[in-house]
Amino acid sequence: MNSLVLFFLLAITKHASAFLPLMVQRKMTMNSHDMMSRRRIISYTAFTACVGSIANKNAYAFFESNQVENDLRDLSKYVIRVDKLVDDLKQKNLMGDKEDSDVVFRILKTYLEPMQEKMYQIAPNLKLPDSANQERAITLSLVMKGHLFELREAIKNLKPSEQLAEAEEVQETLDEFLQLAGLKYKVPVPKAPQSATPAEYYGLFGCEAWGQKRAEGSNSCIPIK
């Protein structure tokens, strides 16, 4: 019996020693697969986070650029008003008397002051590649405010020549600002329709809106007979 038990014990030990390396190998293989899976998950997560971050930055830059271009499109619409004001002062359609100066003042309040505020809002968001151009754009938005102050003084003093000089400064400052913005963005420059009548141009500020007409050679309103 002792010999038989010893035989069985030896047989079991022999099979166990043969089976044990297989178990260890399988466990190591499972651990290896588990580690590889974890590494893949970590790598995928890091890759996804990186791609997501880049995508978010690109999306933000795209929408920011679109917003600036929309703002520049709105700003460029003031070109028509400024050009028309300069032309009317040059052609002496606005001759600097009280009534004509009141027209210039209404244009100042309705169009030119909102235009300067728009420039001031847009300037820091341009982020032009050349720092000198970027600083110049910001400076121009402040210079414009100075021109409008001088224009207001010329209106108050009923001086058409000074009104024209300041209107031309406004025109040049706006043009330079849009040219700088055009170095990076698409900036439309609308043109005033050639067929626009004084009534169409001045709208509520025109004599026609009040059932009157413009006096010959002046912006004064007279009754329609």
Side-chain angles (χ1 to χ4, degrees), residues 88-104:
D88 279 344
L89 288 166
K90 279 183 177 179
Q91 300 299 323
K92 300 190 182 303
N93 294 330
L94 296 170
M95 297 190 294
D97 59 18
K98 181 64 171 69
E99 289 187 15
D100 287 358
S101 293
D102 285 345
V103 171
V104 178

Side-chain angles (χ1 to χ4, degrees), residues 65 126 148 150 175 192 205-206:
S65 176
L126 290 175
L148 297 187
E150 294 296 334
D175 286 348
F205 300 139

Side-chain angles (χ1 to χ4, degrees), residues 11-198:
I12 291 170
T13 303
K14 181 179 180 182
H15 287 294
S17 62
F19 184 67
L20 183 60
L22 292 174
M23 292 181 64
V24 172
Q25 184 179 3
R26 185 177 179 187
K27 185 175 181 182
M28 289 178 64
T29 303
M30 289 177 66
N31 287 341
S32 177
H33 282 305
D34 187 48
M35 289 178 64
M36 287 179 68
S37 297
R38 288 180 182 176
R39 285 175 184 169
R40 285 173 182 166
I41 291 171
I42 293 170
S43 298
Y44 177 76
T45 303
F47 174 76
T48 304
C50 180
V51 171
S53 175
I54 293 171
N56 286 338
K57 286 180 181 178
N58 288 341
Y60 178 78
F62 173 77
F63 285 116
E64 185 180 39
S65 176
N66 269 8
Q67 182 58 54
V68 172
E69 287 196 345
N70 288 339
D71 289 339
L72 287 169
R73 187 180 302 112
D74 291 340
L75 180 65
S76 69
K77 293 175 183 177
Y78 289 105
V79 170
I80 296 173
R81 298 291 177 179
V82 174
D83 289 352
K84 178 63 176 171
L85 175 61
V86 170
D87 186 61
D88 279 344
L89 288 166
K90 279 183 177 179
Q91 300 299 323
K92 300 190 182 303
N93 294 330
L94 296 170
M95 297 190 294
D97 59 18
K98 181 64 171 69
E99 289 187 15
D100 287 358
S101 293
D102 285 345
V103 171
V104 178
F105 180 75
R106 287 195 292 269
I107 292 171
L108 169 70
K109 299 298 291 183
T110 306
Y111 301 112
L112 305 188
E113 288 184 352
M115 176 193 70
Q116 186 276 328
E117 291 171 4
K118 195 74 173 175
M119 287 176 64
Y120 185 74
Q121 171 197 334
I122 294 171
N125 297 326
L126 290 175
K127 298 178 182 176
L128 299 174
D130 188 318
S131 59
N133 288 337
Q134 176 61 36
E135 290 176 11
R136 179 61 178 166
I138 293 173
T139 300
L140 287 171
S141 70
L142 299 173
V143 167
M144 180 66 83
K145 193 164 190 174
H147 291 321
L148 297 187
F149 176 81
E150 294 296 334
L151 178 59
R152 193 181 297 110
E153 289 299 304
I155 292 169
K156 185 175 19 175
N157 296 328
L158 305 179
K159 294 184 176 180
S161 61
E162 292 181 10
Q163 291 175 19
L164 173 59
E166 290 306 323
E168 288 177 331
E169 292 287 352
V170 168
Q171 185 182 50
E172 291 172 7
T173 303
L174 177 59
D175 286 348
E176 185 181 352
F177 185 90
L178 291 174
Q179 286 172 12
L180 286 175
L183 296 174
K184 180 178 178 181
Y185 302 94
K186 191 174 182 180
V187 182
V189 181
K191 300 294 182 182
Q194 298 298 316
S195 59
T197 64

